[in-house]
Each structure stands twice: as structure tokens, then as C-alpha cells.
Amino acid sequence: MSDDDNSPISARAAKRLFAELKAAPALVLAVSGGPDSIALMWLAARWRRSLARGPELAVVTVDHGLRAEAAREAREVKRLASELGLTHRTLRWRGAKPTTGLPAAAREARYRLLAQAARSAGASHVLTAHTRDDQAETLLMRLLRGSGIAGLSAMARLSTRDGLVLARPLLDVPKSQLIATLKRARIGFADDPTNRDAAFTRPRLRALLPQLAAEGGDARTLVRLSARLARANAAVEVLADGAERFLRLRDRGDAPQPGVRSFEAAAFATLPEEVRLRLLLRAIDALGHEGPAELGKVETLLAALDQAVAVGARASRNGRPILKQTLAGALISLAGGRIHVAPAPVRRRRGAHKSGS
């Protein structure tokens, strides 16, 4: 870790962190009370005070109802926000909590509540306090799950979610530097014990980072790898865009059916495997109704399509498709030398009965 990683963030550096957000009408700051988000709030408030005109800042704390201390921590955030001249709201995740997949469910609830708060405040952006350390941990988590290039690109500085821009201005900043910033400003912060709870994957990986750093795999190196994969992913996306145009040109004169994506199988087969995979993913995610398709399942489907196309069969006897599968709420078939992707019939719920029976 360099000396800079342990030094407070200067006012000039803070201006650079938020410079691209100056023209936004309003910004929602997601602040839990931990060091990262408290630093985000303090730095954003200092930056806003330096501007003659700029976005309104609204602080939002999400209480997931999982820890007794959360309510007190939200009150502390409100107190500090008031001292900084910022408005504050606490939103609560109500209802039953799942017994499995709790971190993912809590994350979805948090983003849903933040999006609601942003719309109420007229904000175009939601700012979160993800750091360089979070980026490194996210890369490791996705690597262990076998993610593809897109997933290993980890988090982007700017992305879209629920019609809003999700901004992570601290993504290149180490956590140690944020703590040093708060210490110099004599600002306290909460310590969430779940961040060290070995029952969850992220804390277990966090505990491994010092050992990885000793072997040369520190957070800076892992984030550099993520950036390089993001660069490669962007290049493949351009290739996939070009491939879609190429396939449409092959179909010139043939009007596509509404609600269906269709590719000439022989032309599709000439494309690189990663491009074919992405075209299938795009079509399934666009037309399916059961959420994003799992990469591994799409890879299996692509292998089956490739095998069917390679044998040269254009259609089975009686005009039936030679391949027909459903995946993520989409129906994928190969017939007449074409690959078709359409919405699959909605499955009947278990226990449903016909009306009048």
C-alpha cells in the first residue's frame, strides 16, 4: 500500500471526484453510517459548498431492519447531514426477510428504495460509496462464480438502474484513504459487524485479501485486471453490435415477425463464439419473462445450436423444428435454416384450476 493510500483526500482531489456531476439537478447520497458512505457525504458536501451553483444533495439511509443498531446509526447520519446543511431521509425495508440469499435480497431492496427516493427528490443520480476495495472483492466473487468477461469487468463508475444513473465517485479510492480523511476531520462513523461475519461470502474474501496482497494480488492489481477486462468487454460489445447489423442485412426484404428475433443459422454460425453467445443472451433477455438468463445455460444452448447447425439439417420431417428449448422465459428454436427466439408460453402456476371446475 502506498503512502497516498493512507493520506486524507484534499479539497482539490474531492473536486475531481465529483466534477462530472456538477450539471445534475439533484443527487441522492446513499449513506449507511459506515466510514465509506460517511466520507462520501462529507466530501460531497464540501464539494457542493465550493460551487456557486450546483446540484441539490439529499442524503438517504436505508434501514434493512436486520440489526438493532441500525436505527441509532440512521439518527447519527441525520445529525451529521443536518450539520452539513443537507436534507436526510431514513427508508425502511419492511416485510418478511428471506432465510437464504439475504445479502442479494437486501441489496435489491436498498436500490429499489433509493430509486424511489431519487424520483421524489427530482434527482438524476444515486451516489454510492463503493471503493477500490469493494471493486477488488467484487472481482474475486465473480471470478469464483465463473462469470464471463462482462461480469469480471466488475462495477462501472457510471451505470444505469431503474431509469436513473448510479454513480460511484469513490471507485478508485482505497478505503484506508477515506478513513484517514474522516480522522483528520474528526468525524466518527459506525462499525457494522456484518462486514466481518464469516457466514457471508464477501467478508470471507475480504479476510483473504492480505494474503493475496502478499503474493502480489493487492486491490490495486485486481482493479487493474478488472479495468482491462472492461476494456476487452467493450470491444466485444462493439463486435456484437456489428454482428447484429450483419445479420439484419442478410434478412433484407424479409420483414421480421413482431416480438420475435430471428437469425439465418448459416450466417450466425460464421460468427465468433463469444459474439454468438452475446447475441443469444441479448435476444433471450429481451424476449424472455423470467429474468436474466444464466450464462452457463446459454452456453449449453449455444453448443446444442452449433451442433444442430453443423450437421446441415435445415428442418426435420413434417416441418417440425430440429431444436426447440425454453430458457429464462424465452422459446428458442431452429427450423428452416433459421434460429428463432420468442417469448415462451407462460407456465401455469401449480395448484391453478380451470375456471368453473
Side-chain angles (χ1 to χ4, degrees):
M1 183 179 292
S2 69
D3 291 338
D4 287 344
D5 288 353
N6 292 298
S7 62
I9 298 172
S10 67
R12 179 178 297 180
K15 287 183 180 180
R16 290 195 296 269
L17 291 175
F18 300 100
E20 62 191 326
L21 304 171
K22 183 178 179 180
L27 305 172
V28 161
L29 310 179
V31 182
S32 66
D36 303 348
S37 61
I38 290 291
L40 171 70
M41 177 171 63
W42 190 80
L43 290 166
R46 185 169 63 167
W47 162 72
R48 179 60 185 86
R49 287 197 301 270
S50 71
L51 302 176
R53 284 183 295 180
E56 294 293 323
L57 303 184
V59 179
V60 175
T61 302
V62 176
D63 181 351
H64 295 91
L66 301 174
R67 295 185 301 113
E69 303 88 351
R72 176 182 53 78
E73 292 166 2
R75 289 193 296 270
E76 283 299 307
V77 173
K78 182 177 182 177
R79 180 189 61 77
L80 180 57
S82 179
E83 291 177 3
L84 295 171
L86 306 179
T87 61
H88 176 272
R89 292 179 63 190
T90 297
L91 302 179
R92 291 173 176 81
W93 180 26
R94 303 187 185 279
K97 309 300 188 291
T99 56
T100 59
L102 183 59
R107 183 171 58 251
E108 288 300 314
R110 179 167 63 252
Y111 282 124
R112 183 179 68 252
L113 292 169
L114 289 169
Q116 293 173 6
R119 294 190 184 96
S120 297
S124 56
H125 295 63
V126 172
L127 275 59
T128 67
H130 290 102
T131 66
R132 179 200 294 169
D133 304 68
D134 296 315
Q135 184 76 304
E137 292 163 11
T138 298
L139 173 66
L140 287 175
M141 289 179 70
R142 295 181 180 181
L143 180 67
L144 294 176
R145 291 172 182 170
S147 294
I149 297 175
L152 294 177
S153 301
M155 295 180 285
R157 183 177 173 86
L158 295 174
S159 58
T160 57
R161 188 185 181 103
D162 298 326
L164 298 164
V165 178
L166 189 61
R168 302 177 177 93
L170 307 181
L171 199 55
D172 295 326
V173 179
K175 185 187 189 78
S176 57
Q177 196 170 14
L178 297 179
I179 292 176
T181 301
L182 294 178
K183 286 183 176 179
R184 171 171 287 186
R186 297 182 179 179
I187 296 175
F189 50 84
D191 177 26
D192 184 351
T194 60
N195 289 328
R196 299 184 300 276
D197 189 345
F200 301 117
T201 303
R202 189 178 286 271
R204 291 198 299 270
L205 291 177
R206 186 175 296 137
L208 291 175
L209 281 172
Q211 298 175 51
L212 293 176
E215 299 295 335
D218 60 7
R220 190 187 298 270
T221 301
L222 293 173
V223 169
R224 186 184 303 120
L225 171 61
S226 177
R228 288 170 175 166
L229 290 168
R231 190 171 62 211
N233 181 63
V236 178
E237 281 291 286
V238 171
L239 292 176
D241 291 341
E244 281 192 322
R245 291 192 293 270
F246 163 71
L247 292 173
R248 283 198 299 269
L249 286 173
R250 298 280 299 185
D251 293 337
R252 183 172 291 175
D254 296 331
Q257 293 178 265
V260 176
R261 294 195 184 184
S262 179
F263 312 121
E264 181 188 345
F268 181 83
T270 65
L271 300 171
E273 183 176 358
E274 179 68 19
V275 173
R276 298 199 306 278
L277 184 67
R278 292 189 184 219
L279 294 184
L280 273 181
L281 267 168
R282 289 181 181 185
I284 292 169
D285 287 346
L287 298 171
H289 48 78
E290 295 180 2
E294 294 180 25
L295 177 60
K297 293 182 179 180
V298 181
E299 287 172 335
T300 301
L301 170 64
L302 179 61
L305 278 171
D306 286 347
Q307 184 177 12
V309 173
V311 299
R314 300 183 66 84
S316 65
R317 293 177 182 178
N318 303 321
R320 295 177 180 176
I322 60 173
L323 183 145
K324 189 174 183 180
Q325 292 185 18
T326 58
L327 178 59
L331 176 65
I332 303 94
S333 60
L334 173 63
R338 297 191 67 82
I339 298 166
H340 304 278
V341 182
V346 178
R347 298 176 186 177
R348 291 186 62 191
R349 295 179 181 176
R350 291 182 179 180
H353 298 283
K354 294 181 180 180
S355 60
S357 60

